[in-house]
Amino acid sequence: MEAIDKITEQPSRYDHLEQMPVGELLQHINEEDMLVAEVVRQAIPQIEALVEGIEPRMRRGGRLFYVGAGTSGRLGVLDASELPPTFGVPETWVTGVIAGGDEALRHAVERAEDRAEQGWRDVEIYRPAADDTVIGIAASGTTPYVVGAVEEARRHGLLTGCITSNPSTPLAAAAHYPVETIVGPEFVTGSSRMKSGTAQKMVLNMISTTLMIRMGRVQGNRMVNMQLTNDKLVDRGTRMLQDSLGLSYEEARQRLLEAGSVSECL
């Protein structure tokens, strides 16, 4: 793959970090983090186009796959894993695929991200279909595992998107809908788990939450389809029903537990 000049690898704006007191380190990290939200705001038109491309496919039964390596892969798996308990959707709706498999969630898997053919192979396990979407996540925009998966997904007729922190990358060129969040050099040079990772997390939140709202998994502003997996969530659902139906706490709780979700009671 041809080398490109990566903003994510450029030297930090700060130097002699080891000589800074704790408060100064924290202040400068925070200053850098404050840049991220504005960069993501500027990318909203790209994010909007991607979500609007995914929605009709998902309504026809299509699924969404996040593909990444290292921090990017972990963030994709995290976002996907939070959707079933939050919105009560099947685990198959959104799946995170990470180079090196589940072991890579906790431990680095040597050279897993360098295997250009493996990304698509890992997606193929799920038998991808025409209405599915693959979003590649890579701060560099050059990770072979991710680029290869997106290229093959597009070749097989799937919708493709990406999230990257460098402009004009092979990953963006491979995707129908690239999202480029150019957050600049990292506080620690090359440590893309920092600003780039924060931008990725924000964009993933925006994509998945907007899709879940559009798919009817939220009423008003409430998670009425959340899974009742602990006392906190049972209490939250009970109070939703109290507010909506004018019931006592005990009546609302009993009705909720019998029905299994807030949405079934409304």
Side-chain angles (χ1 to χ4, degrees), residues 35-53:
L35 303 174
V36 177
E38 174 59 23
V39 170
V40 172
R41 186 191 68 79
Q42 293 173 12
I44 286 177
Q46 294 179 327
I47 302 168
E48 180 182 10
L50 175 56
V51 171
E52 289 185 340

Side-chain angles (χ1 to χ4, degrees), residues 15-78:
D15 203 353
H16 307 297
L17 302 184
E18 73 281 5
Q19 299 175 20
M20 291 183 185
V22 170
E24 187 175 352
L25 287 168
L26 297 176
Q27 179 179 337
H28 290 323
I29 292 171
N30 180 246
E31 289 168 354
E32 289 295 294
D33 285 344
M34 286 191 290
L35 303 174
V36 177
E38 174 59 23
V39 170
V40 172
R41 186 191 68 79
Q42 293 173 12
I44 286 177
Q46 294 179 327
I47 302 168
E48 180 182 10
L50 175 56
V51 171
E52 289 185 340
I54 297 170
E55 182 186 347
R57 291 166 170 80
M58 189 167 275
R59 289 188 181 279
R60 295 193 296 264
R63 300 163 296 170
L64 174 58
F65 295 93
Y66 299 136
V67 180
T71 297
S72 300
R74 293 181 190 105
L75 289 170
V77 172
L78 173 64

Side-chain angles (χ1 to χ4, degrees), residues 83-235:
L83 301 182
T86 304
F87 299 106
V89 298
E91 293 182 357
T92 54
W93 275 29
V94 183
T95 299
V97 178
I98 182 171
D102 286 353
E103 181 184 353
L105 294 173
R106 292 184 177 272
H107 306 285
V109 177
E110 294 295 332
R111 304 194 68 83
E113 69 176 54
D114 296 333
R115 301 167 189 155
E117 73 287 346
Q118 190 61 45
W120 177 247
R121 288 178 183 171
D122 289 347
V123 173
E124 279 191 306
I125 294 171
Y126 300 93
R127 300 190 178 187
D131 279 328
D132 293 339
T133 301
V134 169
I135 297 179
I137 313 168
S140 68
T142 61
T143 306
Y145 179 91
V146 180
V147 176
V150 172
E151 287 176 342
E152 282 299 302
R154 184 165 183 166
R155 193 171 71 82
H156 282 79
L158 279 65
L159 185 74
T160 57
C162 74
I163 306 169
T164 181
S165 296
N166 283 304
S168 305
T169 62
L171 180 57
H176 292 102
Y177 296 105
V179 176
E180 296 173 315
T181 53
I182 314 303
V183 296
E186 296 288 358
F187 180 70
V188 175
T189 299
S191 182
S192 57
R193 71 182 185 86
M194 300 187 76
K195 288 191 297 181
S196 292
T198 300
Q200 290 170 353
K201 176 66 170 127
M202 292 174 72
V203 173
L204 290 168
N205 282 347
M206 295 167 78
I207 291 170
S208 59
T209 302
T210 301
L211 283 170
M212 293 301 103
I213 293 170
R214 298 288 295 176
M215 294 296 291
R217 310 309 293 182
V218 171
Q219 289 185 24
N221 57 16
R222 293 175 170 176
M223 299 179 290
V224 294
N225 290 284
M226 63 185 178
Q227 295 176 357
L228 306 176
T229 53
N230 57 47
D231 290 341
K232 177 189 72 175
L233 297 180
V234 171
D235 177 70

